[in-house]
Amino acid sequence: METFPKIISVDDHTVEPPHVWRDRLPSRHREAGPRIVRAPLKEMTFVGGKFAPTMGEPGDEGPLADWWVYEDLRRPLTRLDTAVGYDRDEVRLEAITYEQMRPGSYDVRARLADMDVNHVQSALCFPTFPRFCGQTFTEAEDRELGLLGVRAYNDWMVEEWCGPQAQGRLIPLTLVPLWDAELAAAEVRRNAARGVRAVCFSEIPPRLGLPSVHTDAWDPFLRACDETGTVVAMHIGSSSRMPSTSEDAPPAVGSTITFANCCLSMVDWLMSGVFDRFPHLKIMYAEGQIGWIPYILERADVVWEENRGWGGVADKVLRPPSELFAAHVYGCFFDDAFGLRNVESIGVPNILYETDYPHSDSTWPRSREVGEEQMGHLSADVVERIVRGNAIDLLGLTDDGLWPGP
């Protein structure tokens, strides 16, 4: 293409610097809050979709790593958290320190420089230590500290990560206390009042021991999102269980079918009646790709029409699922040539672009080249919508693609 639009990535990631909770929790909670400890790695596996690291004691053999320590959790930084800048064959399941990662993973100025290299103007970033929808705090024993941890993260996200030095190029994405829908609603409204238009949520809440979207348990949270124009952002793995086929399946199996959780989740939402109760609600699926969407919509419409007598949706899903999708759902991709050959079957207004920086799947520093290769058959106005226009509309950005701030 002669000119490729400046990218607005709706799925990148931040690796939180060590000071996030140390600086922002009340002083009486800092010793118990999330903190970094440098210690050896004894063992680490990732099979059957399950990540299992073991932290060593001082003096033990094993590579040194930086570990997040919080209650009983011991979670090391890993090469999979921040793989950009490394040859693909060098990206292995290993624990690392901050010094062993690209600074753009955790430093704002370095991130902006890496965005420049990659033809990216603006980026929405999911968390790392809290996990993709704040499961770390949801699983904590101390609910008071967990709520403070969520709020501290959000304050850091808005005031520092997306603060003045980001120049409007980093777009805030916040967490909520998933264990209490009323508290979640209050946190949505608190952050919406300072310009936040996206919040993390679980793709499949029951896998976290939480109510499904088929109940009314989430209504306070969803109402807050509906009324404030806050998009519900769901990342693959935000149910704490990556797709896999068996306990001994290698990670490559799960990596091939990562879209599967998004597929399951989208059908849940389309068949839940939520969109009829909350007509302005928008949801998005980060890193789920888009090639699978046309068939699921076709099948969902058939089931909605043909199985209404016994399907359990006749009284609550008032429009065909494909119509609900068009009005409420966004699919996000970083590398999906098949999906881009079928954009008309998905809907151009429902597609968003991402780069997945700094993860191992990231197209950095070739996101522009990948886009040009896969979108060459599309008209310039369609490319503009997919690469940035849809994100501007969804996230309430300026016409120039920047976060306007509080």
Side-chain angles (χ1 to χ4, degrees):
M1 297 180 181
E2 291 186 8
T3 58
F4 191 78
K6 276 282 193 165
I7 297 166
I8 297 178
S9 174
V10 297
D11 170 33
D12 286 358
H13 299 264
T14 178
V15 177
E16 300 81 17
H19 67 266
V20 171
W21 290 276
R22 183 189 67 213
D23 289 357
R24 295 181 179 273
L25 286 174
S27 57
R28 70 183 186 278
H29 289 290
R30 287 175 189 163
E31 290 301 315
R35 56 208 179 275
I36 285 289
V37 173
R38 185 160 292 186
L41 172 73
K42 290 182 67 176
E43 182 183 17
M44 183 162 61
T45 59
F46 185 32
V47 294
K50 296 179 180 178
F51 176 54
T54 303
M55 181 177 176
E57 298 293 333
D60 285 350
E61 292 186 2
L64 285 178
D66 284 334
W67 296 73
W68 281 106
V69 174
Y70 175 50
E71 293 192 340
D72 294 333
L73 179 64
R74 303 292 183 268
R75 198 281 195 195
L77 301 178
T78 76
R79 177 58 61 213
L80 300 185
D81 293 329
T82 171
V84 293
Y86 284 77
D87 184 89
R88 295 288 183 178
D89 291 335
E90 296 176 351
V91 178
R92 299 182 176 88
L93 183 63
E94 59 181 347
I96 61 172
T97 65
Y98 279 94
E99 291 81 3
Q100 293 171 297
M101 69 174 71
R102 193 171 183 88
S105 303
Y106 58 87
D107 179 82
V108 171
R109 291 182 181 176
R111 172 61 65 92
L112 297 185
D114 279 354
M115 290 164 62
D116 289 339
V117 169
N118 201 31
H119 198 66
V120 172
Q121 179 186 36
S122 308
L124 183 81
C125 297
F126 283 82
T128 297
F129 167 71
R131 312 218 300 278
F132 295 145
C133 67
Q135 301 102 298
T136 297
F137 295 111
T138 301
E139 295 167 359
E141 291 291 330
D142 187 334
R143 291 294 198 210
E144 178 188 5
L145 180 55
L147 179 58
L148 290 170
V150 167
R151 290 175 174 167
Y153 176 86
N154 291 341
D155 291 345
W156 169 81
M157 167 62 62
V158 174
E159 298 167 5
E160 187 172 334
W161 184 252
C162 300
Q165 66 176 335
Q167 305 167 34
R169 298 179 62 189
L170 295 174
I171 306 162
L173 173 64
T174 53
L175 304 174
V176 293
L178 291 169
W179 58 90
D180 187 312
E182 294 285 357
L183 288 176
E187 191 63 12
V188 167
R189 296 184 190 280
R190 181 176 85 94
N191 291 305
R194 47 184 180 173
V196 177
R197 291 293 177 267
V199 64
C200 300
F201 192 67
S202 175
E203 61 203 353
I204 309 175
R207 291 185 178 174
L208 304 180
L210 300 170
S212 79
V213 295
H214 298 289
T215 72
D216 61 2
W218 294 108
D219 281 11
F221 164 70
L222 297 177
R223 184 173 298 108
C225 293
D226 180 82
E227 292 176 356
T228 61
T230 300
V231 62
V232 177
M234 292 172 282
H235 194 284
I236 58 166
S238 56
S239 61
S240 293
R241 189 188 307 172
M242 294 298 289
S244 192
T245 55
S246 64
E247 292 294 326
D248 58 352
V253 172
S255 292
T256 303
I257 57 175
T258 51
F259 72 91
N261 281 357
C262 297
C263 177
L264 299 175
S265 174
M266 192 178 81
V267 175
D268 246 1
W269 283 79
L270 293 177
M271 297 297 190
S272 68
V274 164
F275 296 130
D276 287 297
R277 298 204 307 278
F278 302 105
H280 306 295
L281 188 65
K282 308 287 186 181
I283 68 174
M284 58 169 269
Y285 287 101
E287 208 171 319
Q289 312 294 12
I290 58 174
W292 53 273
I293 291 174
Y295 171 72
I296 292 300
L297 294 180
E298 176 184 290
R299 177 60 183 162
D301 278 358
V302 170
V303 169
W304 178 82
E305 181 66 38
E306 301 296 333
N307 298 338
R308 294 178 62 79
W310 60 271
V313 296
D315 297 330
K316 62 180 182 178
V317 182
L318 307 181
R319 290 176 288 162
S322 60
E323 290 186 17
L324 296 174
F325 174 89
H328 299 276
V329 185
Y330 295 78
C332 313
F333 78 98
F334 57 83
D335 185 359
D336 191 342
F338 179 82
L340 288 166
R341 292 195 297 272
N342 294 275
V343 293
E344 297 304 326
S345 297
I346 300 166
V348 171
N350 301 85
I351 302 174
L352 303 168
Y353 198 37
E354 60 184 55
T355 78
D356 197 30
Y357 179 105
H359 284 184
S360 60
D361 263 337
S362 179
T363 51
W364 185 92
R366 296 190 64 256
S367 299
R368 173 180 182 168
E369 288 79 2
V370 171
E372 289 175 330
E373 291 165 5
Q374 297 188 353
M375 300 185 212
H377 63 292
L378 300 174
S379 65
D381 62 315
V382 168
V383 174
E384 175 78 17
R385 293 302 306 172
I386 291 172
V387 173
R388 58 184 288 112
N390 292 336
I392 288 173
D393 293 344
L394 180 65
L395 299 172
L397 307 181
T398 68
D399 291 343
D400 295 327
L402 303 175
W403 180 53

